[in-house]
Amino acid sequence: MTSRPLPAQLPRTDLTRHRRLREQGSLERADLDAILDAGFVCHLGVVVEGRPLVVPTVYGRDERHLYLHGSVASRSLAGGTPVCVTVTHVDGLVLARSVFEHGVNYRSAVIHGEARKVTDPDEKLEGLRRLTEHATPGQWSYARRPSRKELAATTLLALSLEEASVKIRTGAPDDGDGPDAELGLWAGTLPLTAVWGAPVADPLLPADVPVPGHIARREGTRHG
Amino acid sequence: MTSRPLPAQLPRTDLTRHRRLREQGSLERADLDAILDAGFVCHLGVVVEGRPLVVPTVYGRDERHLYLHGSVASRSLAGGTPVCVTVTHVDGLVLARSVFEHGVNYRSAVIHGEARKVTDPDEKLEGLRRLTEHATPGQWSYARRPSRKELAATTLLALSLEEASVKIRTGAPDDGDGPDAELGLWAGTLPLTAVWGAPVADPLLPADVPVPGHIARREGTRHG
């Protein structure tokens, strides 16, 4: 691992080149970072005996790597297995005048690489810390950290953030200045927002245990 | 296509057998249906030159098939290409006493099969109708339907719903009755809910075009 930062522009490769809807493609690393930071669940794709398998899993990150909870796919992940990790935020429906122009406002990052099983205990602990803090900032300091045995029972994958591509669609439908505008139909977007609710205590929890501030203060905030 | 309904139990195959977290697995077709009906964006996995590619796309369905908007992946989808389609709803964070027991409450469906490009114009129109109505009920009757040219320019994929598996996790953390319960830490879940917002009119829309009821009435309703 080097400390040199990754370039601000994502590389244009056979895997990241945008073949379609080019206007939605971004090769800005800042866009990639923002999409990754806004979520905590990704879809991990692997090839198993020639067939694709796509499973949801949680992730965290540092500047150069994504860390994935990998048990689901671990049977398929011998060293150097190619994976594809996709993180998508759905921001709303694009309701055009014509069905043909309908679509979705979204932000999506697709990362290509070879997943590496993290075996060094220190790196694994640090990866798990990042994964835990990514989903719930403040929780690593609050909860009981993994024992040596638990650490050994956890499969953590690392994936370089070097080769990735981003697609973003925002805003109104595209048929507002075409012939369909004459139809007199309503057109616009219907936003979709994910919001954190009120913490629900474990029924087995004694009534006098307070909700810690780092959890309580998320209520009502937006996710994604 | 036959009119015989698919069996209520999903088949246990090499691809759908739950290898991990068996308590979360379901082979009830009703669970699959509910998960598919609750969303409109899936992650489509294909194998391209031996590597996985996972892209988000919209879907609709009938009793036996998923219909997918397929342009993104269409270059990889020659007849009979194996695909994996995953639909995931994230319902919240599971915040246990120990980091090891942390997790996510979610509902996820994984469908395996061979995607077929829909070429028959009638089937394509019907598939697009289902896809449109799945995302926005009422919109097919409201918007301008595809012209013959638009229909030809649309790639629609069909995927049988025969081979699928479901995972569901709900409820409290699992360490409420173990030794970690003595730690005095708060534990529970933090729910995450996606909600439709107020319709946003296209800036190019004349001010006197009303929001149709089928769109207006979604505001404030839950998605997922």
Side-chain angles (χ1 to χ4, degrees), chain B residues 60-81:
Chain B
R61 60 172 300 215
D62 62 19
E63 290 300 302
R64 311 179 66 88
H65 305 90
L66 213 59
Y67 291 103
L68 307 164
H69 203 278
S71 304
V72 173
S74 61
R75 64 194 162 95
S76 330
L77 290 171
T81 308

Side-chain angles (χ1 to χ4, degrees), chain A residues 16-143:
Chain A
T16 65
R17 185 159 52 93
H18 295 103
R19 289 173 172 78
R20 187 176 155 269
L21 297 175
R22 285 179 175 78
E23 75 279 10
Q24 298 180 15
S26 163
L27 288 173
E28 297 292 327
R29 185 164 299 278
D31 288 335
L32 172 68
D33 290 344
I35 289 169
L36 296 179
D37 289 345
F40 63 95
V41 170
C42 64
H43 281 81
L44 166 64
V46 293
V47 180
V48 183
E49 294 170 12
R51 305 178 67 101
L53 175 67
V54 179
V55 291
T57 191
V58 291
Y59 69 89
R61 60 172 302 213
D62 61 20
E63 290 299 302
R64 310 179 66 87
H65 305 91
L66 212 61
Y67 291 103
L68 307 164
H69 204 279
S71 304
V72 173
S74 61
R75 67 195 159 95
S76 330
L77 291 171
T81 308
V83 302
C84 178
V85 170
T86 302
V87 175
T88 304
H89 307 293
V90 177
D91 294 323
L93 288 163
V94 179
L95 302 168
R97 286 90 179 157
S98 66
V99 165
F100 187 71
E101 293 289 348
H102 274 56
V104 176
N105 279 338
Y106 69 102
R107 292 158 288 147
S108 181
V110 177
I111 302 151
H112 302 276
E114 296 181 351
R116 171 174 63 85
K117 272 190 200 178
V118 178
T119 52
D120 177 79
D122 290 342
E123 190 191 0
K124 206 185 225 184
L125 202 65
E126 171 63 7
L128 276 176
R129 182 185 75 76
R130 290 189 177 264
L131 198 144
T132 305
E133 286 290 299
H134 190 88
T136 316
Q139 190 70 354
W140 185 259
S141 320
Y142 182 78

Side-chain angles (χ1 to χ4, degrees), chain B residues 21-79:
Chain B
L21 297 175
R22 285 180 175 77
E23 75 278 10
Q24 298 179 16
S26 163
L27 288 174
E28 298 293 326
R29 184 163 300 276
D31 288 334
L32 172 67
D33 289 344
I35 289 169
L36 296 179
D37 288 345
F40 63 94
V41 171
C42 64
H43 281 82
L44 166 64
V46 294
V47 180
V48 183
E49 294 169 12
R51 306 177 68 103
L53 175 66
V54 178
V55 291
T57 192
V58 291
Y59 69 89
R61 60 172 300 215
D62 62 19
E63 290 300 302
R64 311 179 66 88
H65 305 90
L66 213 59
Y67 291 103
L68 307 164
H69 203 278
S71 304
V72 173
S74 61
R75 64 194 162 95
S76 330
L77 290 171

Side-chain angles (χ1 to χ4, degrees), chain A residues 19-20 43 52 54 71-72 75 86 88 97 99 102 139 142 144 180 186-189 191 193-195 197-198 200 202, chain B residues 19-20 43 54 71-72 75 84 86 88 97 99 102 139 142 144 180 186-189 191 193-195 197-198 200 202:
Chain A
R19 289 173 172 78
R20 187 176 155 269
H43 281 81
V54 179
S71 304
V72 173
R75 67 195 159 95
T86 302
T88 304
R97 286 90 179 157
V99 165
H102 274 56
Q139 190 70 354
Y142 182 78
R144 179 178 67 69
D180 286 333
W186 187 89
T189 58
T193 307
V195 178
V200 178
D202 183 342
Chain B
R19 289 172 172 78
R20 186 175 155 269
H43 281 82
V54 178
S71 304
V72 173
R75 64 194 162 95
C84 179
T86 301
T88 305
R97 287 88 178 159
V99 166
H102 274 56
Q139 190 70 354
Y142 182 78
R144 178 178 66 72
D180 286 333
W186 187 88
T189 58
T193 308
V195 178
V200 178
D202 183 342

